[in-house]
Amino acid sequence: MKLPLIASNLLLIAALGAAAAGAQSRSQLRFCIASDPKTFNPLLVDDDPGETIRYLTGGVLVRLNRASQQLEPGLASTWRVSKGGNSIEFTLRPNLRFSDGTPFSVDDVAYTMRQLMDPALHSPSGDAFRAGNGQVISRVIGKDRISLTFSVPIVGLDKLFDQVAIMSAKSPAKEMAVLGSYYVAEDKAGSYLVLKRNPNYWKHDAHGQPLPYIDSIRVDIQQNRDIEMLRFSRGEIDFINSLNAEYYDKLVAQSPRTAIDAGVGLDAEQLWFNQVPNSPMPAYKKAWFTSAAFRKAISASINREDLARLAFRGHARPAVSWISPANKFWFNAKLTAHPFNQKAALESLAQEGFKMRNGTLYDREGHTVEFSVITNAGNKYRERMATLIQQDLAGIGVRLNVVTLDFPSLIERITRTFNYESCLLGLINNDLDPDTQMSAWLSSGANHAWNPMQKTAATAWEAEIDRLMHLQASTIDEKKRKQAVDRVQEIAWQQEPLIFLVNKNALSAISPNLRNVLPVVLRPQVYWNIDQLALDTKGVYNR
Amino acid sequence: MRLAPGFGVDEEELDSRLSAESVQSIREAHSQVESFPVFYARSITKLLHGDFGYSQTLHEPVRQLLVERFPETLKSVALGLAVGWATGLSLALLAVMSRSVFIDVTASLIASLLLCIPAAVIALLFLLAQAPGRMVVGLIVFPKIYHYAHNLLQQCASLPHVQTARAKGLGTFQVILRHILPIAAPQLCALAGVSVSIAFAATIPVEVLCDIPGIGQLAWKAALGRDLELLVNLTILITLITLLANAAGEMADHPLQRGEA
Amino acid sequence: MKCIRVSAIVFLSVLSLACLFADFLAPAPYAQQFRDEPNASASRQHLLGTDDLGRDRFSRLLYGTRVSLLLAPAAALIASVLAALVGGIAGFAGGRLQSSVMAATDLFLSLPWLFLLITVRALLPLNTTPVTSVIITFALLGCLGWAAAARVICSSVRSLCSSDMILLARASGSGGFRLLCRHILPNVKPVLAAQFWISVPVFILTEANLGILGLGVAEPMPSWGSLLRELESFSALSSQPWQFAPIVLLVVTVSCFHLALRKQELWA
């Protein structure tokens, strides 16, 4: 008699447990992005919202664990990079299907690579593979094994596949058939997207429960950061991936557990002078800006601690290099931020023939040292930084005119007309590997901010940087690459073509209902482990 | 817009992961802009066939965007005009007819306060109070209606025949209906037409701030993104509405003027 | 009523004097950053506290009043004069001229002037002084802000043209420009006054928002509009009530102008 009772109790407990686990999955995660994704084609994604959707829906062969910064198996259970670094072999997981039921096979990988290597594609993820002649040879070795061979070694070859979402060669749904944890179920342009869990997602948790835990995700299009914050405080959204400093402080005061500072991030804010020879500037200003001593004096006159403290409310730190200290392997730890020293700056300028008279600085020809800085309007951090720098430079007699412009006008000035004197902008680093910054550091690069697309390097130090960047791109020996990149950072630190100001902290806001969250500095900070996140309606917050 | 700086540039060019060839290709694609007459000739031809073009900013056909979003803006404008006129005209009439200093000063202060508060702040206050964002359009329209209407009605109320009517004991309602409004009607009709433009202009900051998916929000995105096709269509739409509203105002004015004669 | 009007005049006089003598009255230069005291509360040293960068708000309000109090009414005057001319001439002429001018006005109302403003910014040198930049901004606003009032004025003028008063004036030999300027336009003053009072705060706020295009007042020069922009944030609304001082001052100033210039016979 007792046995049926015990059995029924056990069954009841099991049912309750299953119900609790199941209840965990009957849920909708909500957050906001600033604008509509430009495309759902994962190979063409080049904007933040597009990358968000790609991350949530795209299945990749290998996945970079944003916490450990190590690669983990994805659709491929194992992989092997050849010694030469120009070939990679993947062993795929068997019997996987796309979200619409189409079987996944090596043909899909080959198809995706062919699309990616199309020279007409022009995508950031594609260009990363297109060293050499831009060709790839796909060789199917077995039922689930494929080898991809490139014409030249490609640095960080395996890590690049974290950004390549595999597309189906056969599915009629084309790019909408996905292998990731979610698929796009609804898209109301300008308003919201709804993603639903992929019923064919390959991952399971340690207990064998299919992932993801959360049934669906509603992504609202919300450009206004104030409204996003208001909605978070009302519980209408579950997290804010990138929070500004004022709201972080406000949240810390109201509910400390919801505000997360993951530490210094990968992004940097920087100021640079226009060194384009044929820019429409007076010759004497070109002479100032091409002088390393002038640039270093300006740099020494900027109080970076105050920028971090006042503009970012203490949630930033003085920057040293284009690589953030958060990028532990590649950052040159021997370098330190330039100290604030206006006296030394004036002495250095005096050696260059600059003279201070009645609180105003003059060059050797008697011109008042006055120039403008352009930055994008609407970015409060940059507007504050520009005003702080204006005051700092007034301390050495330099008059700085702050001009805020709408972004398209600013881009036109810094990339086409070169009708500007100095510019204050940010550097967004989505990738740890410095090879992705080739275009910024090669003198022939389109993004070589201060003097882009040079036919030959204008200075000896730029030529040296060119040599070092080519060197690090041509070897897969991490030690040699590290040495080359360290030296590039050292030269940049000495010459200061880019005056690095601050590295911002990675701030986010997370609802207490969201479980298994581990915010990190690499994007996406909060939902990098989306398939393991769960919503707990009991209000238990777990980290 | 074609002459304004920033036309034909793409934020994508700043992505350092792109190769030089890709950046060049993006620039060439954006620089392949047709000449002015060719563009407009083509646009008008397409328009006559019902093809409104394609939005580069939102990656959807312009026609679809307008069909989806225009009703939202119409709701905002209708509510805004209703609230603006109801409160503005009522307060103006009250201030003029009551001849009370207290009411006049208070109404002026309220109208001035709403004129002086930035639309962003009003929108934020509404969001905080969880009130419908569309009402903000009404609060932006109201002070303009009030100031114009108040001065017009004040001028009419000081006319000799109106004062005579009041002195002879005619009720306030009768004075307003039979003596003041008919005189002020032509200007009020013109103001009605203009208020439609004011309401449409007010929807831009309100829809952007309150995240209402209307054509105001669309116009802002098109302007910042230099989306020529979308902006041309929106301008044509707004111009048509303005012309219609003002024409309606004039038509309403004519019978009144004939009546006066 | 008289005492309200006198109070308004006294307030405006005190404000004007305060602006004129801002150099003496302000406790600190408007650009000086007290970097150890950012976002400070109101105190003896900082009557309205400090902003994000530690700048004394009271000083910035005094200097900002100088900019806005001078330039916004000037721009409003330009807009009103243009509205009077365009609307007046169209209404006076009538017929086809009126129709075409009003159609052009409607088109003017519908066009996105954002791009004209962006183009103006592009044509200005980057090292334009803040004073020059803000003067150009307000002048532009004045030149662009006339269209709405022009329509209403046109309608008023049309009504007046058929009135007995004007008929008498014509019969007395008055005609053309003289009739327009001496008999018609003075009678549309209420509409022009409304246009003027609406334009002043609207232009102040618009100047602040034009900062997004690089127009408007440049740092570190303050204006009412730039001070009001501080409020356009959820965090600002609840934390520091003294941040509302620019709004209060703007409302009181506009209302005082309104009260001070009203004719006494319009009051009961």
Side-chain angles (χ1 to χ4, degrees):
Chain A
M1 283 295 288
K2 280 185 187 173
L3 271 173
L5 188 62
I6 293 167
S8 63
N9 281 341
L10 284 170
L11 274 171
L12 181 62
I13 290 164
L16 282 171
Q24 202 166 271
S25 71
R26 287 190 208 102
S27 48
Q28 185 177 67
L29 182 72
R30 296 184 71 151
F31 68 97
C32 297
I33 52 177
S35 59
D36 292 85
K38 284 185 192 171
T39 176
F40 291 121
N41 184 333
L43 305 182
L44 292 174
V45 160
D46 61 11
D47 57 326
D48 269 348
E51 287 188 7
T52 299
I53 301 304
R54 182 176 67 185
Y55 191 89
L56 295 170
T57 61
V60 293
L61 294 170
V62 291
R63 175 62 86 197
L64 181 72
N65 182 311
R66 266 58 174 173
S68 63
Q69 296 183 10
Q70 298 298 320
L71 276 183
E72 289 175 349
L75 297 170
S77 52
T78 59
W79 69 96
R80 192 174 63 90
V81 180
S82 66
K83 274 191 186 158
N86 66 331
S87 172
I88 185 165
E89 196 179 291
F90 292 103
T91 304
L92 307 182
R93 292 175 197 275
N95 303 322
L96 299 188
R97 290 182 175 273
F98 283 86
S99 53
D100 66 344
T102 312
F104 165 61
S105 71
V106 289
D107 294 331
D108 298 311
V109 177
Y111 168 74
T112 303
M113 288 314 295
R114 277 199 308 276
Q115 296 294 110
L116 198 62
M117 300 305 282
D118 180 355
L121 195 70
H122 303 303
S123 83
S125 38
D127 282 1
F129 288 96
R130 213 170 289 115
N133 63 8
Q135 299 292 324
V136 63
I137 300 167
S138 311
R139 198 163 56 93
V140 176
I141 301 167
K143 186 170 170 271
D144 295 317
R145 283 171 65 202
I146 183 169
S147 158
L148 302 168
T149 307
F150 300 86
S151 57
V152 295
I154 295 178
V155 291
L157 179 57
D158 48 356
K159 290 192 181 71
L160 291 177
F161 284 90
D162 173 73
Q163 302 291 318
V164 180
I166 302 299
M167 292 172 66
S168 172
K170 297 179 194 98
S171 167
K174 297 197 177 150
E175 68 260 18
M176 303 310 281
V178 294
L179 289 159
S181 33
Y182 295 90
Y183 68 94
V184 177
E186 198 183 331
D187 171 27
K188 187 160 182 199
S191 196
Y192 64 85
L193 293 108
V194 173
L195 311 181
K196 290 194 176 159
R197 67 206 308 270
N198 179 358
N200 299 321
Y201 188 50
W202 58 271
K203 240 182 178 181
H204 292 73
D205 68 5
H207 304 289
Q209 185 176 348
L211 293 176
Y213 294 127
I214 296 176
D215 274 345
S216 68
I217 302 176
R218 182 178 158 120
V219 185
D220 288 329
I221 313 298
Q222 180 53 265
Q223 204 175 20
N224 191 308
R225 296 275 73 84
D226 296 311
I227 297 172
E228 187 185 25
M229 178 63 197
L230 190 61
R231 293 184 66 188
F232 177 79
S233 60
R234 286 195 193 136
E236 290 171 19
I237 56 174
D238 297 302
F239 67 84
I240 299 176
N241 202 43
S242 179
L243 192 60
N244 74 27
E246 286 93 348
Y247 289 143
Y248 176 85
D249 288 343
K250 204 173 161 68
L251 266 181
V252 162
Q254 284 172 359
S255 51
R257 286 165 62 198
T258 59
I260 309 296
D261 183 346
V264 69
L266 295 177
D267 301 339
E269 297 289 322
Q270 65 216 16
L271 174 86
W272 73 87
F273 291 102
N274 183 358
Q275 296 186 52
V276 173
N278 56 355
S279 60
M281 262 195 303
Y284 64 87
K285 287 195 179 178
K286 290 182 191 175
W288 299 345
F289 301 153
T290 49
S291 157
F294 180 84
R295 296 194 300 268
K296 288 166 79 68
I298 297 294
S299 172
S301 305
I302 296 172
N303 191 331
R304 288 168 175 77
E305 295 285 350
D306 278 356
L307 293 183
R309 187 171 56 86
L310 294 170
F312 294 90
R313 308 255 179 141
H315 303 295
R317 56 187 265 190
V320 180
S321 151
W322 48 291
I323 296 178
S324 159
N327 191 343
K328 295 184 179 67
F329 181 75
W330 293 106
F331 175 62
N332 185 342
K334 291 180 194 158
L335 301 173
T336 55
H338 291 278
F340 174 57
N341 192 338
Q342 293 195 331
K343 194 175 163 209
L346 281 168
E347 283 167 5
S348 159
L349 286 167
Q351 286 171 6
E352 294 290 305
F354 289 87
K355 288 189 179 107
M356 185 85 134
R357 275 199 310 270
N358 299 324
T360 303
L361 193 69
Y362 295 86
D363 69 1
R364 63 173 77 234
E365 289 166 17
H367 298 112
T368 319
V369 179
E370 176 181 352
F371 57 89
S372 60
V373 63
I374 59 172
T375 191
N376 57 312
N379 186 314
K380 282 186 191 165
Y381 292 142
R382 290 197 190 124
E383 289 173 11
R384 280 184 210 146
M385 278 200 291
T387 310
L388 288 165
I389 293 170
Q390 187 183 49
Q391 277 300 102
D392 284 342
L393 295 186
I396 59 165
V398 171
R399 188 173 160 167
L400 181 70
N401 298 311
V402 177
V403 181
T404 53
L405 296 173
D406 66 305
F407 209 41
S409 301
L410 185 142
I411 295 173
E412 192 187 56
R413 282 179 188 264
I414 64 174
T415 62
R416 308 280 178 90
T417 63
F418 305 113
N419 184 6
Y420 74 102
E421 290 170 345
S422 67
C423 181
L424 172 64
L425 263 190
L427 178 69
I428 293 178
N429 270 317
N430 281 322
D431 211 301
L432 294 172
D433 198 310
D435 191 59
T436 55
Q437 297 291 324
M438 283 287 276
S439 171
W441 288 98
L442 289 179
S443 58
S444 56
N447 289 303
H448 192 66
W450 63 94
N451 187 1
M453 295 186 292
Q454 299 174 43
K455 290 202 171 71
T456 51
T459 58
W461 57 268
E462 283 174 286
E464 176 64 4
I465 289 179
D466 286 352
R467 188 187 70 78
L468 290 162
M469 290 304 288
H470 282 302
L471 177 66
Q472 68 81 31
S474 62
T475 176
I476 59 167
D477 183 337
E478 295 265 302
K479 203 172 160 191
K480 279 187 184 161
R481 292 190 68 210
K482 170 73 175 154
Q483 278 172 352
V485 171
D486 274 357
R487 181 69 191 127
V488 170
Q489 291 178 72
E490 216 176 294
I491 296 171
W493 188 89
Q494 287 161 354
Q495 297 293 330
E496 295 207 78
L498 297 174
I499 298 174
F500 296 105
L501 299 171
V502 294
N503 292 120
K504 296 183 288 191
N505 284 11
L507 305 173
S508 41
I510 299 170
S511 164
N513 298 331
L514 200 53
R515 299 184 67 191
N516 306 330
V517 174
L518 184 62
V520 295
V521 299
L522 272 181
R523 288 184 179 79
Q525 287 122 274
V526 173
Y527 59 90
W528 63 273
N529 57 341
I530 184 65
D531 48 18
Q532 285 155 31
L533 294 185
L535 279 169
D536 180 3
T537 51
K538 290 176 197 168
V540 173
Y541 173 54
N542 238 344
R543 271 176 64 191
Chain B
M1 186 170 118
R2 290 158 67 105
L3 297 171
F7 182 71
V9 296
D10 193 332
E11 208 176 305
E12 210 184 323
E13 293 175 36
L14 297 180
D15 193 332
S16 56
R17 296 171 296 176
L18 288 171
S19 64
E21 293 79 20
S22 294
V23 171
Q24 192 54 35
S25 174
I26 291 166
R27 289 183 184 177
E28 278 164 15
H30 283 288
S31 66
Q32 283 164 10
V33 177
E34 295 157 312
S35 69
F36 191 77
V38 169
F39 173 79
Y40 280 102
R42 191 176 61 79
S43 293
I44 289 166
T45 313
K46 277 165 58 177
L47 209 62
L48 292 171
H49 287 88
D51 178 5
F52 287 46
Y54 189 82
S55 164
Q56 296 301 324
T57 324
L58 290 171
H59 306 286
E60 278 199 24
V62 171
R63 186 179 175 166
Q64 188 181 329
L65 286 168
L66 291 178
V67 163
E68 282 172 2
R69 288 169 174 258
F70 190 60
E72 297 294 327
T73 301
L74 264 186
K75 283 183 215 167
S76 303
V77 166
L79 186 63
L81 285 173
V83 167
W85 272 97
T87 42
L89 194 59
S90 312
L91 265 180
L93 277 168
L94 185 64
V96 167
M97 297 314 292
S98 68
R99 302 176 109 187
S100 158
V101 171
F102 175 74
I103 292 174
D104 197 358
V105 170
T106 309
S108 288
L109 271 174
I110 294 170
S112 299
L113 182 72
L114 287 169
L115 262 182
C116 298
I117 300 179
V121 176
I122 303 178
L124 273 174
L125 288 169
F126 266 67
L127 285 167
L128 273 171
Q130 293 184 293
R134 293 183 209 279
M135 296 284 293
V136 180
V137 177
L139 293 185
I140 294 174
V141 169
F142 150 69
K144 290 160 187 165
I145 304 293
Y146 171 79
H147 278 298
Y148 276 120
H150 179 273
N151 285 16
L152 276 170
L153 293 171
Q154 188 102 69
Q155 189 185 26
C156 295
S158 62
L159 289 171
H161 75 280
V162 175
Q163 294 197 17
T164 307
R166 289 183 82 148
K168 285 194 172 179
L170 203 60
T172 307
F173 186 69
Q174 293 288 325
V175 170
I176 293 169
L177 206 57
R178 296 178 109 180
H179 297 284
I180 293 180
L181 282 180
I183 300 169
Q187 291 95 308
L188 287 175
C189 288
L191 183 61
V194 163
S195 66
V196 172
S197 310
I198 295 172
F200 268 100
T203 58
I204 296 178
V206 170
E207 286 180 2
V208 168
L209 293 160
C210 298
D211 202 35
I212 299 169
I215 61 170
Q217 194 190 65
L218 204 59
W220 183 246
K221 286 183 181 178
L224 290 182
R226 310 293 199 271
D227 192 334
L228 190 58
E229 295 217 20
L230 183 53
L231 209 54
V232 164
N233 283 287
L234 283 170
T235 306
I236 292 171
L237 180 66
I238 306 259
T239 307
L240 278 171
I241 292 169
T242 307
L243 285 170
L244 280 168
N246 288 321
E250 279 180 15
M251 278 171 61
D253 177 24
H254 277 146
L256 287 162
Q257 286 195 345
R258 272 194 226 117
E260 275 177 21
Chain C
M1 175 47 224
K2 195 176 174 185
C3 69
I4 293 177
R5 201 158 161 251
V6 167
S7 309
I9 293 169
V10 166
F11 176 82
L12 290 172
S13 309
V14 167
L15 189 66
S16 308
L17 284 170
C19 296
L20 274 171
F21 295 105
D23 292 328
F24 302 102
L25 292 170
Y30 62 78
Q32 185 175 354
Q33 296 167 2
F34 296 91
R35 293 193 179 182
D36 293 329
E37 299 170 70
N39 294 303
S41 306
S43 64
R44 246 196 207 169
Q45 197 191 0
H46 305 290
L47 293 172
L48 292 175
T50 60
D51 65 6
D52 286 342
L53 304 181
R55 297 177 295 192
D56 183 72
R57 254 200 211 100
F58 180 67
S59 304
R60 288 180 67 74
L61 189 59
L62 270 180
Y63 283 100
T65 303
R66 203 193 261 182
V67 169
S68 299
L69 209 57
L70 189 60
L71 294 176
L77 194 62
I78 296 172
S80 302
V81 166
L82 283 172
L85 280 174
V86 172
I89 292 170
F92 185 67
R96 280 190 192 162
L97 182 65
Q98 179 193 337
S99 307
S100 32
V101 169
M102 286 300 107
T105 305
D106 290 339
L107 187 65
F108 192 93
L109 272 172
S110 319
L111 291 175
W113 291 111
L114 187 69
F115 298 103
L116 171 70
L117 298 168
I118 292 173
T119 308
V120 167
R121 174 64 257 183
L123 295 172
L124 285 175
L126 288 175
N127 287 310
T128 307
T129 61
V131 172
T132 311
S133 173
V134 76
I135 288 172
I136 290 170
T137 303
F138 277 108
L140 264 178
L141 289 174
C143 294
L144 296 176
W146 57 269
R151 257 214 162 262
V152 182
I153 287 167
C154 179
S155 182
S156 299
V157 169
R158 281 309 308 147
S159 302
L160 275 170
C161 281
S162 54
S163 69
D164 293 338
M165 175 188 78
I166 300 301
L167 192 62
L168 196 62
R170 279 186 204 271
S172 308
S174 191
F177 204 63
R178 183 190 157 95
L179 186 67
L180 177 66
C181 293
R182 293 191 85 175
H183 298 282
I184 294 178
L185 285 181
N187 284 289
V188 299
K189 260 199 280 186
V191 176
L192 284 172
Q195 158 74 8
F196 183 83
W197 296 124
I198 290 167
S199 300
V200 169
V202 166
F203 287 166
I204 287 171
L205 294 175
T206 309
E207 171 268 311
N209 292 326
L210 286 178
I212 210 162
L213 305 172
L215 286 168
V217 76
E219 287 284 357
M221 184 181 272
S223 69
W224 274 345
S226 61
L227 293 169
L228 286 170
R229 274 191 80 192
E230 275 188 354
L231 296 170
E232 291 176 13
S233 160
F234 175 52
S235 60
L237 287 181
S238 44
S239 54
Q240 299 174 341
W242 41 88
Q243 280 185 328
F244 290 89
I247 280 189
V248 171
L249 189 61
L250 179 59
V251 171
V252 171
T253 306
V254 168
S255 303
C256 285
F257 265 118
H258 210 185
L259 290 167
L261 296 176
R262 279 266 186 93
K263 280 190 185 167
Q264 257 182 309
E265 59 265 28
L266 292 176
W267 297 102

